[in-house]
Amino acid sequence: MNPSADTAVPRGARTATAAAGFAVGGVEGRGARLNSLTSLRFFAAAAVALMHAFGLYAVPLLNVGFVGVSFFFVLSGFVLTWAGAADNGVGTFFRNRIAKLFPLSAATLAVAALIPVAPNSNGVSFLHSLFLLQAWWPSSAPSFNPVAWSLSAEAFFYLLLPPLVARMRRFSTRELLGAIVFLGVLQPAAGTAFQVILGTQVNTWAAQFFTYNFPPYRILEFIIGVALALLLKSGYAPAHRTQLLVAGLATAGTMLTVLAASAHVGPWWVYQSLMLPAIVALIWTAARREIAGASGLLTSPRLVRLGELSFAFYMVHYLVLGTVGVLVNRWAQGLPWQLALPALISAAGIAWLAHTYIEKPCERALRDKLPRLALPKGEPQRNAGAAVRRRTRS
């Protein structure tokens, strides 16, 4: 999972009104953010951390905190597309993404090399993790800082984002909707295929790797986020029956997830697929409400601040749990609750330090010092304020 996506609004975006009366522009000015989405990052990161901290007890609902990974992948595709992150040039986009991910990735990897909290933490896995390639190898994905595999997946998504957006911004509204539905169905279909081909047991390591860590499988969620952002940019306002359908799917998926989690049945990919409609509905609704001028809990400054710290918290929490585990001869996800809760509180403090003194200063320095990565000859440059171009189709 990766709570690192910036929830910025396109520079120079303006407010416009669609035929249905829905405001679809952005917040004025460079660097403005959709604060509600920033706040939601905190809840997703907290869900993952609580699952890891109290994994020993298999608490219903807490035991499906990994669904937060799906939320972050959809959110990442959404906010990067909404912000036009690649519109200033592919080279600038890659430089900025490296500056965002690498400092905390390298810092936590160094700590994990000194304090062994995960299996398979060998030299090969170290190199995989250093270059954000660990999600491509079953033995490396859970090594060193196990949560960092999601950064490896994100790095793969970033490579494909510029051509994806360039292609998908030509889609009609109907094609974007079709893409979301198709990908939402394709994910459980692929999960079923992997499960059948690789093993009939619910949690075989191979099936888990290919339906949880493997970047080509997880990119489906990222592309759903891309399509969702392009829909919002286009001024699309769903009809009432569409809203009811999505609400019904989201409610049914959530209820089935709660029932399955309570009974402790089903492989991970089933939960991810069941929760996709709810994730899509949550991101869409939060973004629409804020763009339309609504405010509330999700736009409160304190919650937004927690969202800003969520990436650092996500990156350090497992190392803190694991360090406590080393001291008491337990593994990170096997701590008694008397130790797990103080460990998470400590992780929150360490996350603030990491955010303040590593993440942000290093990101600024790398953006200043790294040259804009060279583009292939003839690569077109796009302005940040470029409008969404699409064909009008009936």
Side-chain angles (χ1 to χ4, degrees):
M1 186 187 76
N2 176 28
S4 65
D6 301 317
T7 49
V9 174
R11 189 171 85 176
R14 60 185 179 85
T15 300
T17 302
F22 164 53
V24 296
V27 178
E28 293 282 349
R30 184 177 182 177
R33 297 176 302 179
L34 291 174
N35 286 326
S36 54
L37 299 185
T38 301
S39 297
L40 287 173
R41 288 163 46 185
F42 163 72
F43 292 105
V48 175
L50 288 170
M51 179 191 69
H52 289 151
F54 298 100
L56 177 66
Y57 302 97
V59 180
L61 297 186
L62 292 187
N63 63 345
V64 292
F66 57 85
V67 172
V69 176
S70 295
F71 176 86
F72 277 114
F73 286 159
V74 177
L75 180 67
S76 179
F78 179 92
V79 297
L80 291 174
T81 304
W82 175 255
D87 288 345
N88 277 332
V90 175
T92 300
F93 170 67
F94 289 152
R95 179 198 64 190
N96 292 344
R97 291 295 94 199
I98 291 172
K100 180 66 179 177
L101 296 187
F102 187 74
L104 279 184
S105 175
T108 56
L109 177 61
V111 173
L114 297 174
I115 306 174
V117 300
N120 302 319
S121 297
N122 52 45
V124 172
S125 294
F126 182 89
L127 291 176
H128 288 163
S129 299
L130 180 63
F131 293 103
L132 297 178
L133 297 172
Q134 66 267 46
W136 295 89
W137 277 270
S139 60
S140 295
S143 65
F144 290 97
N145 186 8
V147 301
W149 72 267
S150 63
L151 275 63
S152 176
E154 285 278 353
F156 172 65
F157 303 163
Y158 296 160
L159 289 174
L160 298 182
L161 180 67
L164 267 175
V165 172
R167 173 59 182 160
M168 292 179 67
R169 69 179 4 144
R170 300 188 182 100
F171 283 13
S172 67
T173 296
R174 186 171 298 178
E175 288 171 329
L176 289 171
L177 288 170
I180 293 172
V181 173
F182 173 75
L183 294 170
V185 173
L186 180 61
Q187 189 188 55
T192 302
F194 279 127
Q195 198 76 59
V196 171
I197 294 171
L198 298 174
T200 56
Q201 296 181 9
V202 169
N203 288 314
T204 57
W205 70 267
Q208 178 175 320
F209 170 75
F210 282 106
T211 60
Y212 190 71
N213 305 112
F214 196 46
Y217 178 80
R218 300 313 294 261
I219 198 173
L220 304 179
E221 296 160 333
F222 183 82
I223 299 175
I224 287 174
V226 172
L228 201 64
L230 292 174
L231 269 179
L232 190 58
K233 279 189 170 187
S234 74
Y236 170 72
H240 183 63
R241 63 180 181 180
T242 302
Q243 295 180 42
L244 290 177
L245 175 61
V246 174
L249 290 173
T251 302
T254 302
M255 291 179 65
L256 288 173
T257 298
V258 170
L259 291 173
S262 300
H264 304 291
V265 296
W268 290 21
W269 58 266
V270 171
Y271 296 95
Q272 295 161 188
S273 300
L274 287 173
M275 288 300 295
L276 260 181
I279 291 169
V280 167
L282 180 60
I283 292 173
W284 177 270
T285 302
R288 278 191 60 169
R289 280 178 51 81
E290 184 168 352
I291 293 168
S295 60
L297 177 64
L298 292 179
T299 57
S300 65
R302 290 183 179 179
L303 197 52
V304 171
R305 179 57 176 166
L306 290 175
E308 293 170 345
L309 296 172
S310 62
F311 179 42
F313 179 67
Y314 171 77
M315 290 297 292
V316 306
H317 82 272
Y318 198 96
L319 297 181
V320 175
L321 292 171
T323 300
V324 174
V326 169
L327 295 175
V328 298
N329 198 28
R330 297 284 192 96
W331 72 305
Q333 298 184 58
L335 297 180
W337 70 267
Q338 298 94 328
L339 294 177
L341 188 58
L344 285 185
I345 295 173
S346 300
I350 294 171
W352 180 84
L353 293 172
H355 174 82
T356 304
Y357 297 107
I358 298 177
E359 179 186 351
K360 301 312 291 184
C362 291
E363 180 183 357
R364 288 191 293 267
L366 287 174
R367 289 193 181 199
D368 291 340
K369 301 298 183 182
L370 283 178
R372 184 173 62 83
L373 300 180
L375 297 174
K377 187 176 181 179
E379 180 79 29
Q381 298 289 326
R382 301 183 185 273
N383 294 324
V388 176
R389 298 183 297 273
R390 61 179 73 257
R391 298 189 300 272
T392 302
R393 297 184 180 179
S394 57

